[in-house]
Amino acid sequence: MPDVTSEASRLLGLRLRERRLALSLNQEAVALAAGLNVSNYARIDRGHGNPTFHTLIRLATVLQLDLSELLEGFGAGRLPPGRSVGVPQAGLIPYSAL
């Protein structure tokens, strides 16, 4: 599976890495405490991963952060270009139009 490369992934990795280093933890310690495979966590920490919501919650907990601190400032402009996904339901704005 190809690496997920986006500005959002890069910034998330940077935030995780900075906090991990501030707590004097290595990647293995964070991964094990969060219940993650070390190589999967390392990809996220390097800015090449796309973690699930549950993984983000576990990482924030291990790194003693609120989830909001981890995700602050993220918006559609930091995502890679998406593809059009058909006609939106009434009253909804297509994600690509945000």
Side-chain angles (χ1 to χ4, degrees):
M1 185 158 107
D3 282 346
V4 174
T5 54
S6 71
E7 182 66 3
S9 295
R10 186 189 71 76
L11 286 174
L12 177 65
L14 181 63
R15 287 181 187 175
L16 290 169
R17 185 170 45 258
E18 286 175 348
R19 181 61 177 176
R20 175 177 59 79
L21 294 173
L23 294 173
S24 300
L25 297 171
N26 62 31
Q27 288 180 340
E28 182 178 19
V30 173
L32 294 176
L36 302 173
N37 176 286
V38 177
S39 63
N40 287 340
Y41 173 72
R43 285 176 34 80
I44 298 167
D45 190 83
R46 288 190 315 267
H48 294 285
N50 190 14
T52 66
F53 182 65
H54 295 117
T55 296
L56 289 173
I57 293 170
R58 289 195 303 261
L59 290 173
T61 301
V62 168
L63 295 172
Q64 302 167 13
L65 294 168
D66 285 331
L67 186 58
S68 62
E69 292 176 89
L70 199 55
L71 301 177
E72 184 179 352
F74 285 92
R78 299 204 186 264
L79 297 174
R83 57 179 183 219
S84 180
V85 286
V87 178
Q89 294 178 355
L92 298 179
I93 301 169
Y95 182 79
S96 58
L98 296 177

